[in-house]
Amino acid sequence: MNHMSKLDAFIQHAVSSVPISGTSLISSLYGDSLSHRGGEIWLGSLAALLEGMGFGERFVRTALFRLNKEGWLDVSRIGRRSFYRLSDKGLRLTRRAEHKIYRAAQPAWDGKWLLLLSEGLDKATLLDVKKQLIWQGFGTLAPSLMASPSQKLADVQQLLHEAGVAENVICFEAHSPLALSRAALRARVEECWQLTEQNTLYENFIDLFRPLLSLLKEAGAEALTPERCFQIQLLLIHLYRRVVLKDPLLPEELLPAHWSGQHARQLCINIYQRVAPGALAFVSEKGETSVGELPSPGALWYQRFGGLTIP
């Protein structure tokens, strides 16, 4: 088997490793390849980008229809062509996710905790707010007490304000406990943030993508076509995103010794660096907007993972 078919076999294997939802895959594509290039593309271009992976035009149309209905994408029609662009909501959610996906390391920590005590909220509201806070990295220390070691107070206050519960939630800032209770805290952290499950997700990601790294090292330039690079990068980010967005991004000193998050991130960075130039070229070749070519990526694109070195 030559390198070309080995890479294709890997791509096929990755596509079939988990059920892939159209809305989720296309969200990944917009976030990874389009959000820093104007955020707009012709429906036909999306179909051309994805057809080589076995996703047909109906798959693309259905996903775009749903994302438009959810207010994540706006659509404009020029003649018989439809162009889909990230809405304000879509761009806001994409930027929030990017902060987690393209980090180069765990957050630094000053030993401070943010504690939120929620009293007097009705069950439905409480559940909804909790869901948003968990997404932001909070854990439930006790039924009405949530905690985070890495959140900024201003960001959390804004979230509570937007949810309309700022007056019902009491915020405390606290310092880490005494050295004596550190072991107890670590055990509590592991349980509250369900770190064992999160770690398993990282290990599965590593098991899937580790073999690809050696395939890429062996492959000559002719095997790394722009289309293959694009397919690898999209699958890499799509499957990494599914794991990292659930990660509370706790500081290093609170994580268990066997934590695989940093290994997974480094693996992702090593593969991404390798395929990014080809992927960029493929999106430029296939991508068309309502005014012609896609713009070049903005400066923030080059700052992903602590700085991309793209020739």
Side-chain angles (χ1 to χ4, degrees):
M1 211 191 229
N2 64 22
H3 294 315
M4 293 198 181
S5 49
K6 277 185 184 173
L7 286 174
D8 289 336
F10 174 83
I11 290 163
Q12 283 311 309
H13 169 59
V15 166
S16 57
S17 68
V18 290
I20 288 183
S21 116
T23 49
S24 184
L25 186 70
I26 286 181
S27 304
S28 297
L29 197 160
Y30 268 88
D32 189 55
S33 297
L34 302 172
S35 65
H36 290 289
R37 304 190 69 175
E40 180 194 78
I41 199 166
W42 171 46
L43 183 152
S45 297
L46 281 175
L49 285 169
L50 292 173
E51 71 180 341
M53 293 168 86
F55 299 111
E57 194 172 331
R58 178 184 282 184
F59 175 93
V60 174
R61 280 181 185 276
T62 306
L64 291 172
F65 174 75
R66 285 190 185 142
L67 288 164
N68 175 234
K69 217 171 148 188
E70 288 166 19
W72 203 84
L73 290 176
D74 291 331
V75 62
S76 57
R77 291 185 176 83
I78 297 170
R80 299 184 61 183
R81 292 181 152 203
S82 299
F83 297 87
Y84 286 84
R85 71 159 44 242
L86 281 168
S87 64
D88 289 345
K89 173 189 172 180
L91 196 57
R92 196 170 66 244
L93 293 174
T94 300
R95 291 281 183 263
R96 206 152 91 187
E98 272 181 350
H99 172 69
K100 276 185 140 179
I101 298 167
Y102 301 105
R103 294 186 74 88
Q106 293 294 115
W109 191 41
D110 57 3
K112 269 195 191 146
W113 285 82
L114 202 52
L115 303 177
L116 303 180
L117 188 63
S118 53
E119 293 295 348
L121 281 180
D122 69 88
K123 267 227 164 87
T125 313
L126 182 63
L127 274 176
D128 186 51
V129 173
K130 269 191 169 177
K131 215 158 82 179
Q132 291 187 56
L133 288 167
I134 286 168
W135 202 88
Q136 292 285 355
F138 275 82
T140 308
L141 279 185
S144 56
L145 184 67
M146 296 195 78
S148 167
S150 55
Q151 283 302 312
K152 292 184 180 67
L153 183 60
D155 294 348
V156 174
Q157 281 177 321
Q158 190 185 339
L159 187 150
L160 296 172
H161 191 72
E162 282 172 14
V165 298
E167 288 171 16
N168 306 77
V169 177
I170 306 161
C171 296
F172 297 97
E173 280 194 301
H175 281 281
S176 221
L178 301 170
L180 273 174
S181 52
R182 206 160 275 167
L185 173 70
R186 206 172 234 187
R188 190 88 188 96
V189 162
E190 194 154 342
E191 191 187 321
C192 289
W193 275 267
Q194 298 172 333
L195 296 184
T196 307
E197 283 138 75
Q198 180 68 34
N199 208 41
T200 304
L201 295 176
Y202 275 130
E203 284 165 358
N204 294 343
F205 172 83
I206 292 168
D207 289 344
L208 178 63
F209 280 97
R210 193 191 277 124
L212 175 63
L213 202 54
S214 46
L215 287 182
L216 289 172
K217 282 181 181 154
E218 292 162 16
E222 74 291 342
L224 279 177
T225 62
E227 182 166 19
R228 281 199 187 96
C229 287
F230 167 77
Q231 292 174 352
I232 288 167
Q233 183 174 303
L234 177 58
L235 287 166
L236 176 79
I237 287 301
H238 180 61
L239 295 174
Y240 182 63
R241 173 179 166 243
R242 286 167 64 124
V243 180
V244 80
L245 289 184
K246 294 184 178 122
D247 186 342
L249 285 184
L250 298 171
E252 208 115 357
E253 48 264 67
L254 294 172
L255 292 170
H258 55 274
W259 187 246
S260 298
Q262 192 57 36
H263 296 304
R265 183 185 290 120
Q266 197 52 55
L267 178 63
C268 184
I269 292 171
N270 292 343
I271 295 170
Y272 199 91
Q273 287 275 21
R274 195 101 188 190
V275 296
L280 201 59
F282 189 66
V283 174
S284 296
E285 180 199 327
K286 298 289 180 193
E288 201 180 315
T289 72
S290 55
V291 291
E293 292 178 6
L294 279 171
S296 297
L300 282 172
W301 185 84
Y302 289 94
Q303 289 164 29
R304 286 177 171 178
F305 295 122
L308 293 174
T309 45
I310 304 296

